[in-house]
Amino acid sequence: MAEIKTTISDIKLFIENLHSDMPEVFEKKNSNSKTPSTRNKVLYMGDVYDVKISANPEKNTSCEFIDDIFHINLKDNTESPSKIVETWLREKANKVLKQKIDVFAQKMELEYNRLVIKDQKTVWGSCSEKSNINLSYRLIKMPENVIDYLVLHELAHLVHLNHSSDYWDIVEKYCPDHKRFRKWLNNNKVSLFDNAKLKYVKEKDPYLNPPKEEVAEEVKPAQEQAPTSIADSLPEEITETIPEMDNILDDDDTVKDIEGIVEI
């Protein structure tokens, strides 16, 4: 079952990356339309979900996940839907990871001092001499069994602050498929560290903006026709700056293990 879940997630992420890298293969260009094409998707719990964005000044800014769709309302259409959904993911990660680490700590009969959820720059998690555990909020984008592995990985460091054979025996006991999950993490780290790139496109109100009556276009001699600009058919480029990452640990903390992206 664990293999099936991660394999399905691999396939969906691969297809989604193809959409981003080669949109011309998946989308037919409409040379008559000047509306930029958007592909609003969010990676959550190992799956890729659609996003519906609306702008209603009479409602508060919000993000909800209902029936496998993210619904975002912008109180002001200048707000960033990308930042709104990333904030939602952070809040969800705080709840889910706190619940999971408590459940597995009890199962493994271990006690940790403190859990901190951050946007770590190069690692998924870390454990210190003081039994403090840090986890990246981006874990919430992974399949649940991969999340469980990373939580177990850091808890096991409460017993061994190293990656010795004794340490891996503990991990193996509670997570026999850990090698497969580590491989999945290495294969998908780029998608996991990439922030959602969402775009709000204002829809025309048929009542406020009634369609114009069609008027027969006058046919001009070929030599008088103005050439069509190539720029009219090009999609608008969408970019977003990734925010600065927090430090891994507090200043008074000494890290003894860091589960890095490459080494994991």
Side-chain angles (χ1 to χ4, degrees):
M1 180 64 70
E3 183 176 5
I4 293 175
K5 288 182 179 180
T6 52
T7 300
I8 292 174
S9 184
D10 274 334
I11 294 172
K12 289 183 176 181
L13 284 172
F14 175 73
I15 294 174
E16 190 60 27
N17 287 333
L18 285 181
H19 273 282
S20 299
D21 296 339
M22 297 185 294
E24 68 278 4
V25 176
F26 295 89
E27 299 178 6
K28 294 182 178 179
K29 292 184 177 180
N30 183 357
S31 59
N32 294 324
S33 175
K34 296 185 180 181
T35 303
S37 61
T38 58
R39 184 171 176 78
N40 290 330
K41 299 284 183 179
V42 170
L43 178 59
Y44 172 57
M45 297 292 284
D47 211 337
V48 181
Y49 294 96
D50 290 325
V51 182
K52 290 186 177 180
I53 305 174
S54 58
N56 187 341
E58 296 182 358
K59 295 183 179 180
N60 292 328
T61 301
S62 63
C63 178
E64 296 178 296
F65 185 62
I66 304 173
D67 296 332
D68 290 342
I69 297 176
F70 280 92
H71 298 266
I72 298 176
N73 181 69
L74 308 178
K75 187 176 181 65
D76 182 342
N77 60 18
T78 62
E79 293 177 309
S80 169
S82 302
K83 292 181 179 179
I84 292 172
V85 78
E86 288 294 335
T87 298
W88 186 94
L89 291 171
R90 287 171 185 260
E91 294 173 353
K92 191 69 175 180
N94 273 278
K95 295 178 182 178
V96 171
L97 297 179
K98 174 61 177 174
Q99 292 173 350
K100 283 188 173 294
I101 202 167
D102 287 343
V103 169
F104 286 115
Q106 183 176 6
K107 183 178 181 179
M108 299 169 72
E109 298 182 344
L110 297 172
E111 291 186 8
Y112 66 95
N113 180 38
R114 184 178 60 164
L115 171 67
V116 179
I117 310 299
K118 294 184 176 183
D119 188 0
Q120 297 174 301
K121 189 174 182 179
T122 57
V123 297
W124 303 125
S126 59
C127 182
S128 73
E129 282 183 324
K130 297 179 181 180
S131 299
N132 293 329
I133 293 177
N134 289 337
L135 294 173
S136 170
Y137 89 92
R138 296 176 186 276
L139 268 66
I140 202 66
K141 300 182 180 185
M142 305 172 185
E144 189 168 8
N145 45 20
V146 181
I147 298 175
D148 292 346
Y149 157 65
L150 286 172
V151 172
L152 289 166
H153 182 107
E154 297 308 329
L155 285 171
H157 282 305
L158 295 173
V159 182
H160 298 287
L161 280 169
N162 52 50
H163 288 101
S164 63
S165 58
D166 291 336
Y167 164 82
W168 286 113
D169 287 343
I170 296 176
V171 176
E172 181 81 20
K173 177 181 178 181
Y174 293 99
C175 187
D177 292 320
H178 66 90
K179 291 182 180 179
R180 179 178 295 115
F181 300 148
R182 293 171 69 193
K183 181 179 180 181
W184 187 92
L185 285 166
N186 281 327
N187 291 341
N188 295 286
K189 59 189 176 184
V190 175
S191 296
L192 294 166
F193 272 91
D194 190 22
N195 285 359
K197 297 178 177 63
L198 308 179
K199 179 74 174 180
Y200 169 65
V201 178
K202 186 176 181 180
E203 296 182 359
K204 291 184 178 181
D205 190 324
Y207 297 98
L208 297 179
N209 301 283
K212 296 181 180 180
E213 295 182 3
E214 293 185 2
V215 179
E217 184 178 355
E218 180 182 356
V219 179
K220 298 180 180 180
Q223 63 271 21
E224 295 182 9
Q225 291 181 351
T228 303
S229 172
I230 297 176
D232 290 342
S233 63
L234 292 178
E236 179 182 343
E237 183 178 0
I238 303 171
T239 59
E240 180 160 337
T241 302
I242 299 177
E244 292 293 329
M245 306 291 186
D246 292 332
N247 292 327
I248 296 172
L249 295 172
D250 296 332
D251 293 338
D252 61 344
D253 218 349
T254 303
V255 65
K256 284 298 181 181
D257 171 77
I258 294 179
E259 186 64 359
I261 302 173
V262 178
E263 291 81 5
I264 197 166

